[in-house]
Amino acid sequence: MEQLALAAPNADVSIWGLFMQAGWVVKLVMIGLLLASIWTWAIIVDKMIAFSRMRLALNRFEEIFWSGQSLEELYKTLSERKTAGMGAIFVAAMREWKKSFEKGARSPMALQTRIDKAMDLALGREMERLESRLGFLATIGSAGPFIGLFGTVVGIMTSFQAIAGSKSTNLAVVAPGIAEALLATAMGLLAAIPAVVAYNKLTSDAGKLGTRMEGFADEFSAILSRQIDERSHVRAQAAE
């Protein structure tokens, strides 16, 4: 017991030293939080790049779409390659349009409904892709501090047990154990704070991108609706 009290003042209080001195439960908590922090930053960087690319893709598509190029030519170009964002919504709508007219669509209202449904499904897939893995950020943001606190509680309990065993309340004996316990809380906050900030920012950005795509879907639906009415009118005249 006396040797423990004498050795404590010479304990390594660096971050690495505190980690190595911690119990296996606290070590598992710290390792888990460190991995969660690394994965959190990987998601943040990946999403920032993906959202930036999506904005550029939306800007390019809007520029081409409103340039006056025919819908058939644009569909032929986009259908031959992988599309995302507004391009995916446009291709889904045009594919349904062409399939329906090739099969001799009779009901304009049913055709409009199918086109709107196709665009809604494409929009849903795009939003799902944008929002993928954001749930992990929300989970770490809410659970990270409590996981760190669990490690702290276990570490302090272990420290108190060591104090009881050494029968000494000397600060030099108490400090290393408490420091390694508090390190778990610090790591929990280190993982949680960026996750919360990034989740709020990325969720807002995804919502803005989704609003742009939804607005395009509504505009394109109106364009196709006018064309459906025109074709229906031409058919009606031909039938007469």
Side-chain angles (χ1 to χ4, degrees):
M1 298 297 180
E2 192 174 325
Q3 290 178 347
L4 178 62
L6 292 174
N10 297 323
D12 185 2
V13 292
S14 65
I15 293 178
W16 178 251
L18 293 175
F19 172 78
M20 294 305 296
Q21 294 166 24
W24 65 271
V25 175
V26 181
K27 281 182 179 177
L28 287 177
V29 170
M30 290 182 182
I31 291 172
L33 289 171
L34 179 61
L35 294 176
S37 181
I38 293 172
W39 184 237
T40 293
W41 280 105
I43 292 174
I44 292 171
V45 173
D46 177 69
K47 286 298 179 184
M48 289 177 66
I49 294 173
F51 285 9
S52 179
R53 288 177 177 172
M54 178 63 80
R55 289 189 196 95
L56 291 175
L58 295 183
N59 292 337
R60 283 197 301 267
F61 179 83
E62 284 183 327
E63 184 179 349
I64 295 171
F65 182 81
W66 299 111
S67 65
Q69 183 179 359
S70 72
L71 298 181
E72 291 291 340
E73 290 178 2
L74 183 57
Y75 171 71
K76 184 177 180 181
T77 302
L78 294 179
S79 62
E80 295 174 352
R81 61 172 185 251
K82 186 177 180 180
T83 57
M86 292 178 184
I89 296 171
F90 171 80
V91 170
M94 288 297 294
R95 185 178 292 122
E96 183 60 39
W97 165 278
K98 294 180 73 66
K99 284 181 180 178
S100 297
F101 274 105
E102 286 172 0
K103 295 179 180 178
R106 296 294 180 184
S107 172
M109 186 174 295
L111 173 57
Q112 184 68 48
T113 301
R114 288 195 298 271
I115 290 174
D116 289 343
K117 187 65 174 178
M119 287 195 290
D120 287 342
L121 291 173
L123 177 61
R125 286 192 293 268
E126 292 303 306
M127 289 304 300
E128 183 179 357
R129 190 160 61 89
L130 286 174
E131 295 173 351
S132 65
R133 293 178 294 173
L134 292 184
F136 179 82
L137 298 182
T139 300
I140 293 300
S142 59
F146 295 102
I147 296 172
L149 184 61
F150 170 74
T152 298
V153 171
V154 173
I156 290 178
M157 288 174 60
T158 304
S159 181
F160 283 165
Q161 289 173 350
I163 292 171
S166 64
K167 293 183 173 59
S168 172
T169 57
N170 191 321
L171 184 61
V173 176
V174 178
I178 294 179
E180 69 190 39
L182 292 176
L183 180 60
T185 297
M187 293 187 68
L189 294 174
L190 185 65
I193 293 173
V196 171
V197 174
Y199 174 77
N200 292 333
K201 175 67 167 62
L202 294 174
T203 301
S204 175
D205 290 347
K208 291 176 182 177
L209 292 172
T211 300
R212 285 185 66 181
M213 290 187 288
E214 188 175 355
F216 166 75
D218 291 339
E219 287 181 311
F220 191 47
S221 176
I223 292 172
L224 293 181
S225 178
R226 285 193 295 270
Q227 294 203 11
I228 291 171
D229 290 343
E230 290 173 4
R231 293 201 178 195
S232 298
H233 181 65
V234 170
R235 281 185 178 180
Q237 287 183 333
E240 293 175 359

